Amino acid sequence: MNITIIGTSNVGLVTGACFSKMGNKVYCVDIIEEKIENLKNNILPIFEPQLDGIVEISQERGDLIFTTDIKEALDNTDIIFITVGTPMADDGSANLDYVFDAARDIANNITHDSLVVVKSTVPVGTCFEVKEEIESILNENDSDVKIRIASNPEFLKEGSAVNDCLHPDRIVIGAEEDEVFEIMRDLYSSFVLNHERFIFMDIKSSEMTKYVANAMLATKISFMNEISNICEATGANIQNVRIGIGSDKRIGYDFIYAGCGYGGSCLPKDVQALINTAKCNGYEPKIISNVEIVNEKQKMKLAEKIVKRFGDNLTGLTFAVWGLSFKPYTNDVREATSLVVIPELIKKGAKIKAYDSHAVQEFMNALDDIYLDSIEFADNRYDAVDGCDALILITEWKEFRSPDFDLLSEKLNQKIIFDGRNIYDRKIENKGFELYQIGC
Ligand code: NAD
């Protein structure tokens, strides 16, 4: 099949690359010229395991074309995916400017009947509005082109996006016509040869499904973080409690880890957008409104523990930070806990030595310049701890899981670890480490 992808980033680039890997011809369009030029030279704007190899091979084969020319793309394709960003607006709603810009770009350049698929995460009703916008411009332009619309929310996880895309748990399709379901089934059938994973439904339910999935995940995390705070207050251990409850099949072990808060480009904004949708439709949500509040407080947890240990004035102290991205295996720092903890410590007088294998540049771009003078970026995890008064683990990249604790003892001024993801065993206390964790 011939496919246009509008918006070439985490979702668009990965989806486009995976469609092309399956032998489809894919045009990936973006408005940022530098990004497209780099991609033509196999320089990727994001770090995502396995992605570079697929992009290089598919480009070589001629199945993956990067362009800023939407007309060239639309002329050669019949299925158009919208994968542009839907960031949070000031009032918490989803900012749909990019989605409607894409819709207008389609309307002004399309010359034959096509299927438009909205993959961006959008509030209920947006797909219909996108269709209306395109049709009204086509009418103004006296065009007889017909478009059909589908919703196909994306569930990939940054850090394992290629694997998730190639081996999806489910493919949710919202549409109004059987023919559209069939086109989408044909398109995705090569991804699900093993067994049927399609879930077909109406468009509004499909749009809502994406928000509810993210709200449920965020709720699980905030729930466990709240319980971890109760554990700390009472002397119980969240790690034991987690295993105790996860063994109940109705609860399960997934996504019930306590930690120092969730971040990323999706969970925070999608929870806010769902709250906004509920309010705009006359419903005052109780649970999800508090999910975000708990998460914001949880991001402060490490800083609070550090102040409790060292006092409110951190002048003269240097802290090593391991991990800056919002989760491992991505260079994405959007809403990352590092962006909350590090400024908080610097405001109290501390200096920081930070290490992350992939996210340093993104972190520097996202952080307010006033903090940068107080941060040194190390080339590796052990240089980062050299001469520091404590180690703070924020993101659980695998290289941090089993460090050489003897080397850490030598390098750290004080053998103190603040483990924001509960990855270390209390046994290290036998080696003289003071270990602070979440909820235990
Ligand atoms: P992003 O903001 O990182 O990237 C969007 C891209 O679209 C940018 O490269 C931008 O330049 C481009 N763009 C904007 N307007 C354009 C236009 N008119 N024409 C061509 N390109 C245009 O977004 P993302 O993280 O890839 O997410 C995209 C959507 O998918 C969002 O709605 C998001 O909520 C959803 N989603 C994201 C993830 C994730 O892990 N990042 C997972 C599932 C769903």
Side-chain angles (χ1 to χ4, degrees), residues 39-60:
L39 279 163
K40 284 180 184 168
N41 294 309
N42 297 313
I43 301 167
L44 273 52
I46 53 166
F47 168 69
E48 196 58 65
Q50 303 178 57
L51 185 59
D52 49 357
I54 300 178
V55 167
E56 191 169 345
I57 291 167
S58 296
Q59 278 208 95
E60 244 171 54

Side-chain angles (χ1 to χ4, degrees), residues 7 9-11 30 35 86 105 121 154 158 265-266 269 334:
S9 189
N10 297 76
V11 170
D30 206 284
K35 182 183 271 195
T86 47
D105 290 345
T121 304
E154 181 53 58
E158 285 183 32
S265 66
C266 291
K269 84 169 170 65
R334 287 178 278 189

Side-chain angles (χ1 to χ4, degrees), residues 356-373:
D356 188 296
S357 56
H358 286 85
V360 169
Q361 192 54 54
E362 288 71 16
F363 178 79
M364 289 171 76
N365 296 343
L367 192 71
D368 197 323
D369 284 352
I370 55 168
Y371 299 114
L372 285 175
D373 281 351

Side-chain angles (χ1 to χ4, degrees), residues 148-332:
R148 286 182 291 190
I149 193 92
S151 157
N152 171 218
E154 181 53 58
F155 297 98
L156 61 76
K157 301 180 285 298
E158 285 183 32
S160 58
V162 170
N163 193 50
D164 293 345
C165 195
L166 293 174
H167 310 286
D169 291 337
R170 79 291 213 192
I171 298 162
V172 173
I173 314 279
E176 295 179 293
E177 301 154 70
D178 288 344
E179 211 180 315
V180 172
F181 286 128
E182 283 318 305
I183 296 169
M184 296 300 284
R185 185 195 290 276
D186 286 350
L187 178 62
Y188 276 111
S189 56
S190 51
F191 292 84
V192 289
L193 291 179
N194 178 279
H195 68 268
E196 177 84 4
R197 285 173 217 182
F198 293 102
I199 303 173
F200 297 114
M201 59 178 77
D202 62 282
I203 288 180
K204 285 188 172 184
S205 302
S206 168
E207 292 170 325
M208 184 59 113
T209 297
K210 173 65 192 176
Y211 281 106
V212 176
N214 276 352
M216 175 62 101
L217 294 172
T219 303
K220 283 180 100 174
I221 298 172
S222 278
F223 176 80
M224 286 309 280
N225 282 336
E226 178 143 272
I227 298 298
S228 78
N229 293 331
I230 302 173
C231 283
E232 275 183 25
T234 55
N237 182 326
I238 191 70
Q239 302 278 56
N240 296 334
V241 173
R242 177 180 66 76
I243 294 165
I245 64 163
S247 53
D248 183 331
K249 285 199 184 78
R250 293 169 304 173
I251 296 173
Y253 290 107
D254 288 340
F255 247 73
I256 56 167
Y257 289 86
C260 52
Y262 62 76
S265 66
C266 291
L267 261 49
K269 84 169 170 65
D270 291 350
V271 170
Q272 283 300 346
L274 186 57
I275 294 168
N276 189 274
T277 297
K279 287 183 175 170
C280 289
N281 287 279
Y283 180 79
E284 191 62 44
K286 303 287 182 300
I287 296 176
I288 48 175
S289 302
N290 286 299
V291 164
E292 257 305 285
I293 293 169
V294 171
N295 191 53
E296 287 309 307
K297 277 184 149 178
Q298 198 69 14
K299 285 183 175 175
M300 291 297 290
K301 204 77 201 160
L302 282 173
E304 283 164 15
K305 284 176 186 282
I306 290 162
V307 165
K308 195 168 173 199
R309 171 64 180 76
F310 288 98
D312 200 45
N313 184 354
L314 303 177
T315 308
L317 296 169
T318 303
F319 296 99
V321 170
W322 279 2
L324 299 170
S325 54
F326 87 91
K327 64 189 277 197
Y329 300 100
T330 176
N331 57 346
D332 198 340

